[in-house]
Amino acid sequence: MSNKEKLSYPDVKTFYICFNNERSEIKSYGSISPQQCFATNWIEIDYYTNKTEWTKILLQNGIEREVEE
C-alpha cells in the first residue's frame, strides 16, 4: 500500500517544502511545473505559488538558495 502525497499537473508553477512529521526540519523542497507530477512519502507539505513567500520560509529555516537567472 502506497502512502505517497501527490500533486499532478498544477495550474501554475508550484513550490513545495516537505517537513518531517514534527515539522521541525525541512526534508525536501523544490518546484513543480504545470507539465510535471510530484510524489513524496513525506506527509507534512506546504505548497506555494508565490516564489518570494516560499524563499522567505526557506530562509527562516536556514536554507539559502542561489538566485536563478
Side-chain angles (χ1 to χ4, degrees):
M1 178 179 208
S2 177
N3 194 22
K4 291 188 183 234
E5 295 294 317
K6 299 177 183 179
L7 177 63
S8 298
Y9 310 111
D11 292 333
V12 296
K13 186 170 187 173
T14 302
F15 302 90
Y16 64 88
I17 301 175
C18 300
F19 295 88
N20 64 353
N21 291 344
E22 295 79 30
R23 292 187 65 86
S24 60
E25 182 181 352
I26 291 178
K27 293 306 213 173
S28 179
Y29 59 90
S31 64
I32 308 130
S33 74
Q35 298 82 22
Q36 293 178 308
C37 295
F38 169 73
T40 182
N41 288 327
W42 298 108
I43 57 171
E44 294 294 329
I45 307 168
D46 293 344
Y47 294 103
Y48 304 87
T49 55
N50 181 310
K51 186 175 183 179
T52 301
E53 183 180 352
W54 173 74
T55 301
K56 181 180 173 183
I57 300 299
L58 291 176
L59 286 172
Q60 289 173 350
N61 284 276
I63 298 172
E64 293 187 41
R65 297 203 9 94
E66 292 183 23
V67 176
E68 297 175 8
E69 297 293 327

